[in-house]
Amino acid sequence: MVSLSGYARQIDDVTVQRLDMTSRPYIVSPANEGKAKVWGLEFDTRYAVGAKVDLRANAARNWSRLAAIPGPDNRLSSQVAASANLGLDYRRSTFHTLGMNLNLQFGGPLRQSVELREYTGPVRSLDAFSLWTLDGKTQLRLSGTDLLAPASASRRSYLDAQGGTARWVTERRTATVRLLLERQI
């Protein structure tokens, strides 16, 4: 299966960050301001390699422009600029399946107002599982999430005619391993 799709939308009352410079300290708060144009492309494929292996791949590229904020980089703050996924499932037997999924997300620069800017670095994650079917109603699942234990970086900055500030944040995630016994009742 292979698919390629696209979308385009107009959004009213977009929530953006408003900077109130009349108070000390300055206050940033959400506000509904104006319209946005949003568009993107997505590619998705699934392929069975024989009877035992299933492959999945997905890639997306998203764009947006906010009318109330001057460019460049005046896009929706919650929108991932690009993403890619690669997954694999391997059925060793009727009783045991292994799988993994690699996910990459790219944010990039973002302008939240005339003075506020943000940058989100790439994020990657690797998840894997091993599933044993013990009988028709019982399964044992060993899974791991964020196995690469990645760090993500972001920067938020303020700049006007009098000067500016910048704050870098690095977030470390830890890998999580779970063992779960599932029983249908």
Side-chain angles (χ1 to χ4, degrees), residues 164-175:
T165 63
R167 183 177 81 178
W168 280 95
V169 176
T170 301
E171 177 187 346
R172 292 227 172 258
R173 298 187 320 217
T174 57

Side-chain angles (χ1 to χ4, degrees), residues 3-9 38-43 61 63:
S3 70
L4 179 63
S5 60
Y7 68 90
R9 286 185 212 123
V38 182
W39 64 99
L41 293 170
E42 184 170 323
F43 169 77
R61 178 67 172 102
W63 295 272

